[in-house]
Amino acid sequence: MMLAPPVTPLAEIDATLARQGFAVLDADGLFSLLHCTADDLAPWLSHWDRLPADAYLRDGGRYRRRRHACFVVEGDEVTLVPQRPHWQPVEYNALHGGIERHFEPIEPSLALDPLWQRWLAALAARASALKGARTWYVEAHPFRIDTTDGIGRPTPEGAHRDGVDLVSVTLVSREGIKGAETRVFAAQGREGQRFTLDQRWSTLLLDDERVVHESTPIQPLAPGASGHRDTLVLTFRSGGFQGPPG
């Protein structure tokens, strides 16, 4: 049985995020934030069908496909920066940290879409409400986790933080699978919640300094069948992008 996420009304999103370290917007809340409709976002869905395989999975899996792009957000101004590798320290990603991972860029028709840029600016404003107004260095990760290997792992590194200020996880599609329960726990303490994002465009916001998060593995609903889970993960960091020391 899937547990419904604890949805927060848009008017309370900043206060809830500040109080408990995470908050969930349902699709209508996200549409109101972006001044858009589901029809406006529908053309984006095909981009997840064109994600290349992730060649860096150290567990030997073939279940993850992704792209990557980086942006700088200053107020309402969103700038796509030249493609750069994704890097995390081992302190935040014990499985894939400490290496430069070079992924294919997000397609220009998505990265330069005015609605995409409005999305990044709107969520950067949530980061500013949480941490104070500043320039935000944003990494964008469209993911597809599938059941090619019989099981797919949305977070093969386990429960983790990302070493940033704010993380957003948006469910784009969930087809023919079970699992993918989201778990959010206090980084200092035992408090936590479990729930499953199952509504397209529902979005989880995380204060990365205060909480750790993970999603449980996925399996196909029927033996031998295929399924997948598509998400968009955005990370917002002040002071610059993460990169190797020195």
Side-chain angles (χ1 to χ4, degrees):
M1 177 179 175
M2 293 193 300
L3 297 175
V7 171
T8 297
L10 177 58
E12 301 172 17
I13 199 71
D14 292 334
T16 301
L17 183 58
R19 184 179 69 253
Q20 65 183 22
F22 76 96
V24 180
L25 280 174
D26 63 9
D28 286 341
L30 183 71
F31 299 156
S32 294
L33 178 66
L34 301 178
H35 306 290
C36 74
T37 67
D39 288 343
D40 295 326
L41 290 169
W44 289 16
L45 299 177
S46 63
H47 288 275
W48 274 259
D49 295 328
R50 298 190 293 271
L51 297 178
D54 184 338
Y56 293 92
L57 282 172
R58 285 183 164 176
D59 63 0
R62 301 170 298 159
Y63 53 80
R64 185 159 76 181
R65 310 179 74 83
R66 68 190 297 178
R67 291 182 185 269
H68 174 245
C70 294
F71 303 81
V72 175
V73 181
E74 298 178 276
D76 292 331
E77 184 176 344
V78 178
T79 303
L80 174 65
V81 304
Q83 191 70 7
R84 53 182 288 121
H86 177 49
W87 186 91
Q88 292 175 292
V90 293
E91 292 83 1
Y92 292 109
N93 191 328
L95 185 61
H96 298 114
I99 59 173
E100 293 189 346
R101 290 181 282 169
H102 296 262
F103 298 114
E104 291 296 315
I106 293 175
E107 295 170 290
S109 56
L110 180 58
L112 300 178
D113 186 327
L115 180 52
W116 171 275
Q117 300 201 4
R118 193 158 76 239
W119 183 314
L120 265 60
L123 292 188
R126 310 282 66 75
S128 289
L130 183 67
K131 303 289 186 177
R134 61 196 69 181
T135 298
W136 294 105
Y137 297 82
V138 184
E139 295 195 51
H141 309 265
F143 285 105
R144 170 166 289 180
I145 307 298
D146 63 34
T147 58
T148 296
D149 297 326
I151 190 170
R153 296 178 174 85
T155 52
E157 65 272 39
H160 66 283
R161 292 166 55 211
D162 288 298
V164 299
D165 291 284
L166 181 74
V167 177
S168 73
V169 181
T170 299
L171 181 69
V172 175
S173 183
R174 182 185 170 100
E175 302 291 342
I177 62 166
K178 56 185 176 182
E181 180 182 77
T182 295
R183 298 176 177 177
V184 182
F185 302 98
Q188 304 294 329
R190 298 183 178 181
E191 302 86 359
Q193 290 205 36
R194 302 161 48 233
F195 51 86
T196 302
L197 296 176
D198 64 351
Q199 181 192 40
R200 174 172 285 165
W201 306 121
S202 56
T203 297
L204 168 65
L205 301 177
L206 300 156
D207 180 348
D208 192 58
E209 185 178 1
R210 294 175 54 195
V211 298
V212 298
H213 64 280
E214 66 176 338
S215 293
T216 61
I218 66 170
Q219 294 177 280
L221 284 175
S226 61
H228 65 263
R229 178 179 184 255
D230 294 346
T231 57
L232 173 62
V233 176
L234 302 173
T235 64
F236 297 78
R237 187 173 189 266
S238 61
F241 296 107
Q242 292 188 103

